[in-house]
Amino acid sequence: MQTLINLFRNNIREYGMIIALVLITGLFFILTEGINLKPLNLTNLILQNGFILVLAVGMVLVIITGNIDLSVGSIVAFIGAIAGVLIINMDVPVWLAVLIAIAAGALIGVWQGFWISYVGIPSFIVTLAGMLIFRGLTLWLLDGQSLAPFPDSFQKISSGFVPDLFGGGDFHIFTMILSVILSLVLIYLEFNKRKTQLQYNFEVVPLWVSITKIALLLLAINWFAYQLALNKGIPTVLIIVLVLIIIYTFVMKNTVMGRHIYATGGNKKAADLSGIKTKRVVFWVFVNNGVLAALAGLMFAARLNSATPAAGDMLELDAIAAVFIGGASMAGGVGTVIGAIVGGLVMGVMNNGMSLIGIGIDWQQAIKGMVLLIAVGFDVYNKNKG
């Protein structure tokens, strides 16, 4: 029992949010009489929140370095406008328009990263200016009107599904096969990690704790996959999000760049003295955030099937809230990609559940604000206690 208490205490940020996600989901399961966990609603939940999760992945790196980005919502709109003009007005091939849009996002990141890293203007000011600049450019580019519709090939970015290679009819067999493969990979990774820790005489949790943890994770994954298989299978959006989770979790945990990002946010002066080029680190983090914001902009435009001047309004606040709810610290140096995803899911499940039970947008905003305040207050309490 003491082992479980110590495990939870040492990982209170991560486990606390996972428990909160389970409790919130359970609450809405009761209030909606199970509608929130129906296959169709779970699929809609992914489609509705995919672009927010992509923004959260980029935002968590920015916040870990001790910065903030208020411009991503406007970048989403601007990139959607670029895609609309290229594809709808100029008949540019979809693949080329996507590449141009991603490149535009990278250039936006270069622009903002330069002012923040090398000129020394605080990120709050630079990205606040960016929020206004790119919203204005969106209005100019679209002439204040919406562009629609996009071709089917572009819409599939947000509305497509992985095809069933085995022709399962009403049940998507390929989804379950992928789920089983993922389960086997996770089992291997968990016990290979444990084996490595034992070889180097590191302290490890008891075997039964590892088995329980992986069993619960596999149960959740395979149940979720089964629900998706009952509908249309795995959405393209989910594949995009999973690929980003894998890549960025690996980068942050296993690469020099990841350690430099944490060091820059944890203590910038100490990082400078140890030889880390902190200006370059922050610069590339903002370039990366521009690219991911561009990807989110393409996903958002594809989901709406239009490029609109009001697209992405307030999305930056959803992304920032997801990161802080997921356990990141405003002071920098703390946060994980998985935590940001869990925070985004907490926000998504709340939005979806409150809509299902008929709570108005006014109270939805107020409740989300309170959840954010409580999450950050919880972080401050733990920091002061420690």
Side-chain angles (χ1 to χ4, degrees), residues 42 46 175-187 189 213-229 234 238 242 245-246 338 345:
L42 288 173
I46 296 168
T175 295
M176 292 310 302
I177 291 175
L178 291 177
S179 177
V180 171
I181 293 172
L182 177 61
S183 299
L184 294 174
V185 170
L186 290 173
I187 291 171
L189 292 175
K213 185 175 78 170
I214 196 71
L216 290 173
L217 178 61
L218 297 185
L219 179 65
I221 289 172
N222 286 280
W223 174 84
F224 185 67
Y226 177 75
Q227 297 302 316
L228 294 180
I234 302 174
L238 183 58
L242 287 176
I245 291 172
I246 292 168
I338 295 295
L345 289 175

Side-chain angles (χ1 to χ4, degrees), residues 69 180 201 216 218 242 250 256 270 304 320 333 353:
D69 192 339
V180 171
N201 296 318
L216 290 173
L218 297 185
L242 287 176
F250 177 81
V256 173
L304 288 182
I320 292 168

Side-chain angles (χ1 to χ4, degrees), residues 29-355:
F29 179 80
I30 295 169
L31 295 176
T32 64
E33 298 180 348
I35 293 175
N36 69 322
L37 294 183
K38 295 287 186 183
L40 179 60
N41 190 64
L42 288 173
T43 300
N44 287 336
L45 187 64
I46 296 168
L47 298 178
Q48 290 166 1
N49 294 280
F51 47 86
I52 294 175
L53 298 181
V54 171
L55 289 176
V57 171
M59 188 66 72
V60 72
L61 270 63
V62 171
I63 288 174
I64 288 172
T65 62
N67 291 287
I68 199 81
D69 192 339
L70 301 176
S71 67
V72 291
S74 295
I75 295 172
V76 164
F78 184 53
I79 295 300
I82 290 174
V85 170
L86 290 174
I87 295 171
I88 297 172
N89 286 357
M90 301 175 65
D91 291 324
V92 173
V94 169
W95 66 269
L96 181 57
V98 168
L99 289 178
I100 292 171
I102 296 294
L107 288 174
I108 290 170
V110 168
W111 166 260
Q112 298 196 132
F114 168 76
W115 290 105
I116 294 164
S117 300
Y118 297 109
V119 179
I121 301 175
S123 58
F124 182 90
I125 301 300
V126 172
T127 58
L128 178 61
M131 180 174 71
L132 299 172
I133 290 168
F134 298 116
R135 184 64 66 181
L137 289 175
T138 302
L139 289 167
W140 167 75
L141 198 57
L142 294 176
D143 198 23
Q145 299 178 350
S146 297
L147 284 178
F150 283 104
D152 291 342
S153 57
F154 182 78
Q155 292 180 52
K156 285 182 180 178
I157 295 174
S158 276
S159 60
F161 290 84
V162 175
D164 192 350
L165 303 180
F166 299 91
D170 292 335
F171 186 80
H172 205 279
I173 297 173
F174 190 50
T175 295
M176 292 310 302
I177 291 175
L178 291 177
S179 177
V180 171
I181 293 172
L182 177 61
S183 299
L184 294 174
V185 170
L186 290 173
I187 291 171
Y188 169 78
L189 292 175
E190 177 67 23
F191 288 100
N192 186 60
K193 177 184 174 184
R194 181 183 177 84
K195 180 183 175 183
T196 303
Q197 289 174 332
L198 288 171
Q199 283 178 346
Y200 290 97
N201 296 318
F202 291 163
E203 184 180 353
V204 296
V205 298
L207 181 60
W208 69 269
V209 174
S210 293
I211 293 174
T212 302
K213 185 175 78 170
I214 196 71
L216 290 173
L217 178 61
L218 297 185
L219 179 65
I221 289 172
N222 286 280
W223 174 84
F224 185 67
Y226 177 75
Q227 297 302 316
L228 294 180
L230 290 173
N231 190 30
K232 296 179 181 179
I234 302 174
T236 309
V237 169
L238 183 58
I239 297 295
I240 294 171
V241 172
L242 287 176
V243 169
L244 291 178
I245 291 172
I246 292 168
I247 292 172
Y248 283 90
T249 298
F250 177 81
V251 168
M252 295 303 289
K253 286 189 173 182
N254 300 285
T255 69
V256 173
M257 183 62 179
R259 289 191 285 273
H260 284 183
I261 290 171
Y262 279 112
T264 299
N267 190 323
K268 190 173 184 296
K269 288 185 178 179
D272 281 324
L273 291 172
S274 64
I276 296 173
K277 294 179 173 59
T278 55
K279 290 182 179 180
R280 184 184 296 177
V281 169
V282 172
F283 175 81
W284 283 110
V285 163
F286 273 92
V287 173
N288 172 76
N289 201 40
V291 170
L292 291 183
L295 176 58
L298 293 170
M299 293 166 67
F300 192 86
R303 175 154 178 80
L304 288 182
N305 192 23
S306 67
T308 66
D313 188 36
M314 302 292 282
L315 280 187
E316 61 276 352
L317 300 186
D318 283 336
I320 292 168
V323 172
F324 285 128
I325 289 172
S329 172
M330 191 69 200
V334 176
T336 63
V337 174
I338 295 295
I341 295 296
V342 172
L345 289 175
V346 167
M347 298 287 286
V349 168
M350 286 176 53
N351 286 337
N352 180 261
M354 288 189 290
S355 296

Side-chain angles (χ1 to χ4, degrees), residues 362-382:
D362 47 359
W363 282 107
Q364 287 189 32
Q365 297 289 349
I367 292 169
K368 284 180 356 186
M370 285 302 300
V371 169
L372 174 61
L373 189 62
I374 291 169
V376 177
F378 181 68
D379 172 61
V380 172
Y381 170 77
N382 283 310

